[in-house]
Amino acid sequence: MKRLSIYIHIPFCIKKCKYCDFLSYCATQGEQESYVALLLTEIEKQAFFYQDFQVISVFIGGGTPSVLEGKAIEVILRKLKERFNFIKSPEITIEVNPGTVTEDKLELYLRTGINRLSIGLQTADDNELMTLGRIHDYNTFLCTYELARKLGFRNINVDLISAIPGQTYLSHRETLKKVLSLEPEHISAYSLILEEGTWFYEHSAELTFHTEEEEIRLYKLTEEMLSECNYNRYEISNYAQKGFECIHNKTYWLRGNYVGFGLGAASLVDEVRWNNKRTVKEYEKALRKKSEHNEQPISPDSLSKARTQFGENVQYLTIEEQMEEFMFLGLRLMERKEKKAFKIKFGLDIEDIYGETLGRLQNEALIISDEQVRLTPLGIDVSNYVMSKFLLS
């Protein structure tokens, strides 16, 4: 059977962070319950079209999924397990924010099969947390983390952000020291990006952002300190102890099959991309529409239409687009048998398509091209530039 990862989008949060451009908002208890009912409807209606897949991972993201009642998460996971084929021990992750989980809620997560937590710390400096608009302080994070450990979670990711306005080299180093002392299995470390539509973007004139050189310096500090503590940098922004690389996120970078449920959720299945409607009104309208596809054997083309029937921006990827994605997504990973995998996937040597590009980037010391194609340290610093060179159109 083919492998499949499932993403569940929970768009709710207690308060919108100042840097956040994700599809998220505050909602009443009633609105949350109505949304979960729609989510269950989508899962029920779509599951038939994935009978030839086995689920290897589930990622419940947002927003802040942990603002939902624990029973709601239990019902969602039960529905998935009833309707999809799962491997014996799938990776099941839920994102939580400090202060939004209780002992009872965490215990329920464990009982329902959630075996990985992703905790949004961002920084251990309380002033920087206030700058970001976070609802918690460092001590609240620490309590959440220690409670999760006490209850038995053995796979925890901690999210960090660098280049926060007002953040210094010393304050970021202190954050890294505190987090490393806790020995989480996984650390995601991103640089702040100024996204249109965020509070930061609208008030950018009032803030002082880091220069590109300062951002790189902070990023290199992250890499150095995590490497010293035996965290493997397996992707540009992700570090893991041995055996704890995130299975779900690697599905994205390796262009595996994944289906998203909920508002705005993105999917890639059998080389077709699409995303769900982005407003509750449009989402509900799409789900209430009578399906044109009955639960019976259907052709591959009809199958794609069935899977995308509630979505929009449907894109049937051409071979050229598949090659582009193969390169610029795969290059995010530090190690990959790029050339062999390219040959297996497309029946062509990578040099047949990208020979000139590979030669030029290698001469610029931005990539190494031997059995693998991978970024050099300099290439990582300008990764967006490097990846843009693999667009064929």
Side-chain angles (χ1 to χ4, degrees), residues 266-283:
S267 302
L268 171 66
V269 181
D270 290 341
E271 302 302 351
V272 181
R273 282 194 181 279
W274 73 96
N275 60 269
N276 281 356
K277 305 289 187 178
R278 292 183 60 83
T279 69
V280 172
K281 185 177 180 180
E282 291 176 317
Y283 180 55

Side-chain angles (χ1 to χ4, degrees), residues 78-353:
R78 185 189 308 134
K79 176 65 72 174
L80 288 175
K81 290 175 181 178
E82 286 173 356
R83 299 295 276 125
F84 285 84
N85 300 309
F86 278 72
I87 63 170
K88 186 175 180 180
S89 300
E91 176 191 87
I92 304 180
T93 303
I94 188 168
E95 290 182 334
V96 303
N97 273 352
T100 63
V101 287
T102 61
E103 184 167 346
D104 287 346
K105 197 176 280 190
L106 288 172
E107 286 179 337
L108 187 146
Y109 291 168
L110 283 169
R111 289 199 304 273
T112 58
I114 293 173
N115 49 28
R116 186 174 184 270
L117 291 184
S118 182
I119 307 177
L121 170 59
Q122 316 314 348
T123 171
D125 186 288
D126 287 346
N127 288 326
E128 292 168 12
L129 287 169
M130 289 179 63
T131 298
L132 291 173
R134 303 292 287 175
I135 63 169
H136 63 89
D137 57 18
Y138 177 68
N139 190 58
T140 305
F141 159 80
L142 200 56
C143 290
T144 298
Y145 183 92
E146 291 175 345
L147 179 60
R149 284 296 196 213
K150 172 188 157 188
L151 295 175
F153 280 96
R154 295 294 175 261
N155 190 354
I156 298 179
N157 170 64
V158 175
D159 277 343
L160 297 178
I161 294 178
S162 59
I164 301 165
Q167 186 180 58
T168 66
Y169 186 87
L170 292 178
S171 71
H172 185 52
R173 186 171 69 179
E174 189 62 24
T175 286
L176 293 170
K177 284 173 63 177
K178 287 181 176 179
V179 171
L180 287 168
S181 71
L182 298 173
E183 300 183 349
E185 286 72 24
H186 192 284
I187 296 174
S188 296
Y190 298 93
S191 284
L192 180 73
I193 299 175
L194 187 61
E195 300 283 8
E196 190 171 352
T198 63
W199 188 95
F200 273 179
Y201 186 89
E202 294 168 357
H203 296 79
S204 58
E206 307 163 23
L207 301 164
T208 302
F209 294 93
H210 291 71
T211 65
E212 185 176 348
E213 291 75 18
E214 289 169 336
E215 283 188 34
I216 291 173
R217 187 166 179 249
L218 291 171
Y219 219 64
K220 288 192 180 300
L221 173 65
T222 303
E223 181 184 17
E224 290 166 6
M225 290 185 66
L226 268 59
S227 176
E228 287 171 3
C229 292
N230 297 316
Y231 284 83
N232 173 42
R233 187 184 196 179
Y234 70 96
E235 190 269 344
I236 288 177
S237 301
N238 285 273
Y239 302 77
Q241 293 179 358
K242 186 176 181 180
F244 288 95
E245 297 175 357
C246 179
I247 293 169
H248 188 88
N249 284 341
K250 285 184 74 173
T251 296
Y252 297 151
W253 301 318
L254 292 170
R255 299 187 71 257
N257 292 302
Y258 59 89
V259 59
F261 295 113
L263 283 191
S267 302
L268 171 66
V269 181
D270 290 341
E271 302 302 351
V272 181
R273 282 194 181 279
W274 73 96
N275 60 269
N276 281 356
K277 305 289 187 178
R278 292 183 60 83
T279 69
V280 172
K281 185 177 180 180
E282 291 176 317
Y283 180 55
E284 182 172 11
K285 183 179 178 181
L287 290 172
R288 298 302 181 212
K289 189 170 62 175
K290 185 177 179 180
S291 176
E292 301 174 5
H293 310 278
N294 298 319
E295 293 196 358
Q296 58 187 10
I298 53 180
S299 67
D301 183 55
S302 295
L303 190 58
S304 291
K305 289 179 180 177
R307 289 170 179 158
T308 62
Q309 63 184 308
F310 305 125
E312 59 187 4
N313 303 321
V314 180
Q315 182 183 12
Y316 290 77
L317 297 175
T318 65
I319 293 297
E320 289 76 17
E321 288 167 335
Q322 293 173 38
M323 288 177 176
E324 290 174 353
E325 289 189 1
F326 182 98
M327 295 305 299
F328 67 71
L329 289 174
L331 276 170
R332 292 193 63 88
L333 295 169
M334 298 297 104
E335 290 187 12
R336 181 179 177 185
K337 298 300 182 186
E338 203 77 48
K339 294 187 176 181
K340 183 178 178 181
F342 192 94
K343 177 82 170 182
I344 292 170
K345 173 72 176 174
F346 301 110
L348 296 167
D349 289 325
I350 201 168
E351 286 83 3
D352 294 339
I353 307 298

